[in-house]
Amino acid sequence: MNPSMNRPRQPRDEDREQLQADLTRLVGAGRLQFEEFDRLCNVVWSTQDKGVLDRIRAQYLTHYAPQQPQPPQHQQPPQQPVPMAQPGAQHVMPVEGQPAASTMGNIRRTGEWTVPEYSMFKLTGSTLHLDLRRANAAAPVCTFEIQAAMSSIEIVVPPGVYVENRIKDLFSSVNIQTTQPLPGAPRVVLTGSIKGSGLNVTTKQAPPQNSLWSRLMGS
């Protein structure tokens, strides 16, 4: 008997990333708790047996289907997005995230905006700046997939928003400054890969909206 026949199959990074993305959608749909999500992600990224991933998918995702819309006469009002800062920013309706790409350019999001459940950024020799301190979250877990080469990425979050780094880095510098999550606060998950780039995540208090600086800047 060939001994290699009994060896477990090695999971691909693509298999791990896809399963984590599917589990993230379960959290956003309220079908999976944060604690269980964290435990499963640890297993997904530590196991060397693809059969483990298949068993997780069979247990948690086989019977999952998006909820069908309810009749309008008994329909509940739509859920409002949750402010990143707890409490803080005004509520706005969520906006579906669109893939953003830049070559030798700049992508910048600040102020009051809605962070989609999933966002993708493709950068080549570019700068990405995301300030979440006055933003709202469209889901309990917001995932940023970043594919970058020779680029600079800066993400600013308010205290209480936990940032989980799942990015694969090659010849890059990574600095993650995060805090313990506050109850009810959204989480940020970073996925993707960066090469020859710099990733810097900092935690800062949101500037007061009635400050002199805010009034001068019209924010």
Side-chain angles (χ1 to χ4, degrees), residues 144-186:
F144 294 148
E145 180 178 345
I146 302 174
Q147 305 291 342
M150 305 299 292
S151 297
S152 175
I153 303 107
E154 182 177 7
I155 302 174
V156 185
V157 300
V161 172
Y162 181 75
V163 179
E164 179 181 357
N165 181 28
R166 296 290 184 180
I167 284 183
K168 296 179 293 183
D169 62 274
L170 179 65
F171 304 119
S172 300
S173 62
V174 177
N175 178 32
I176 307 292
Q177 182 195 78
T178 189
T179 58
Q180 290 296 322
L182 288 176

Side-chain angles (χ1 to χ4, degrees), residues 6 32 36 39 47 55 98 118 122 167 172 175 195:
N6 297 324
L32 187 65
E36 186 70 359
R39 185 187 70 81
T47 184
R55 287 191 289 273
Q98 297 292 331
Y118 170 82
K122 296 183 178 181
I167 284 183
S172 300
N175 178 32
K195 299 178 181 179

Side-chain angles (χ1 to χ4, degrees), residues 14 68 87 93 185:
E14 292 82 357
Q68 297 297 322
M93 294 302 294

Side-chain angles (χ1 to χ4, degrees), residues 58-71:
Q59 179 179 352
Y60 289 89
L61 295 162
T62 299
H63 303 292
Y64 170 72
Q67 294 182 348
Q68 297 297 322
Q70 299 297 319

Side-chain angles (χ1 to χ4, degrees), residues 28-218:
R31 294 174 177 265
L32 187 65
Q33 298 297 318
F34 285 129
E35 294 78 8
E36 186 70 359
F37 172 80
D38 289 339
R39 185 187 70 81
L40 291 174
C41 283
N42 288 332
V43 175
V44 166
W45 288 95
S46 62
T47 184
Q48 302 302 315
D49 184 357
K50 187 177 183 299
V52 174
L53 303 188
D54 295 337
R55 287 191 289 273
I56 292 176
R57 179 172 293 280
Q59 179 179 352
Y60 289 89
L61 295 162
T62 299
H63 303 292
Y64 170 72
Q67 294 182 348
Q68 297 297 322
Q70 299 297 319
Q73 59 269 24
H74 298 295
Q75 194 171 20
Q76 297 296 326
Q79 183 179 0
Q80 294 290 328
V82 180
M84 281 287 182
Q86 299 288 309
Q90 298 177 351
H91 289 296
V92 296
M93 294 302 294
V95 178
E96 185 69 21
Q98 297 292 331
S102 176
T103 300
M104 304 296 290
N106 181 23
I107 299 176
R108 185 177 180 88
R109 293 301 304 269
T110 63
E112 296 183 8
W113 60 291
T114 297
V115 183
E117 178 181 356
Y118 170 82
S119 303
M120 173 181 283
F121 301 94
K122 296 183 178 181
L123 311 170
T124 303
S126 299
T127 299
L128 173 64
H129 179 84
L130 303 175
D131 190 338
L132 311 184
R133 291 177 293 170
R134 293 175 59 190
N136 296 310
V141 178
C142 295
T143 299
F144 294 148
E145 180 178 345
I146 302 174
Q147 305 291 342
M150 305 299 292
S151 297
S152 175
I153 303 107
E154 182 177 7
I155 302 174
V156 185
V157 300
V161 172
Y162 181 75
V163 179
E164 179 181 357
N165 181 28
R166 296 290 184 180
I167 284 183
K168 296 179 293 183
D169 62 274
L170 179 65
F171 304 119
S172 300
S173 62
V174 177
N175 178 32
I176 307 292
Q177 182 195 78
T178 189
T179 58
Q180 290 296 322
L182 288 176
R187 294 189 180 192
V188 174
V189 176
L190 305 179
T191 64
S193 62
I194 60 176
K195 299 178 181 179
S197 300
L199 170 63
N200 188 36
V201 178
T202 57
T203 299
K204 297 180 181 179
Q205 290 283 357
Q209 298 188 33
N210 60 350
S211 67
L212 176 61
W213 179 260
S214 297
R215 291 197 299 271
L216 290 174
M217 296 300 294

